[in-house]
């Protein structure tokens, strides 16, 4: 796997503090909640991939709490395809850009 130069950002005190604050303020997985499930979050996820942009990396407004399952499945799928899979409790797609939502 290709090494990403921004990996170092995840080893900073500022990141550890930001991550802890995110998980403290939003302890449940955001995607699970949208699907009507209650699951503890363990990952502070960047909503918009930062790709090394430190302003985006450290922006608390660009974080959401996710469980490992959602982060490793739905979120990764969204980053590869541009669409968030799944639907909410109401049956509507989770992806606000889904063609049904237009």
């Amino acid at each position: 796997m290709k090494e990403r130069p921004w990996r170092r950002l995840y080893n900073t005190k500022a990141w550890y503090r930001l991550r802890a604050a995110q998980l403290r303020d939003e302890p449940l997985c955001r995607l699970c909640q949208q699907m009507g499930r209650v699951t503890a979050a363990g990952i502070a996820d960047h909503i918009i991939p930062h790709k090394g942009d430190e302003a985006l990396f450290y922006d608390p407004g660009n974080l959401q709490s996710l469980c490992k399952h959602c982060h490793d499945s739905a979120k990764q799928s969204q980053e590869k395809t541009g669409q968030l899979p799944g639907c909410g409790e109401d049956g509507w797609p989770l992806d606000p850009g889904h063609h049904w939502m237009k």
Side-chain angles (χ1 to χ4, degrees):
M1 182 176 206
K2 185 177 172 183
E3 183 63 27
R4 294 177 177 97
W6 61 77
R7 295 293 304 163
R8 64 178 172 71
L9 297 173
Y10 289 98
N11 294 322
T12 62
K13 284 184 183 180
W15 169 249
Y16 283 110
R17 288 184 187 124
L18 185 60
R19 177 188 179 279
Q22 173 63 33
L23 294 174
R24 180 193 65 231
D25 296 344
E26 187 179 356
L28 300 177
C29 175
R30 189 177 291 184
L31 293 180
C32 283
Q33 283 184 301
Q34 291 174 346
M35 292 184 281
R37 298 188 305 238
V38 177
T39 309
I43 297 174
D45 173 66
H46 292 91
I47 299 167
I48 300 169
H50 58 83
K51 299 189 187 216
D53 179 339
E54 290 190 35
L56 205 51
F57 184 88
Y58 291 114
D59 178 6
N62 187 38
L63 293 178
Q64 64 183 344
S65 296
L66 297 178
C67 66
K68 181 163 177 42
H69 176 75
C70 286
H71 179 267
D72 293 354
S73 60
K75 180 62 193 258
Q76 297 302 314
S77 177
Q78 179 186 31
E79 288 183 8
K80 288 177 185 166
T81 66
Q83 293 185 333
L84 182 62
C87 61
E89 276 188 288
D90 58 5
W92 286 96
L94 293 176
D95 187 345
H98 191 279
H99 68 275
W100 286 2
M101 306 300 273
K102 295 178 181 183

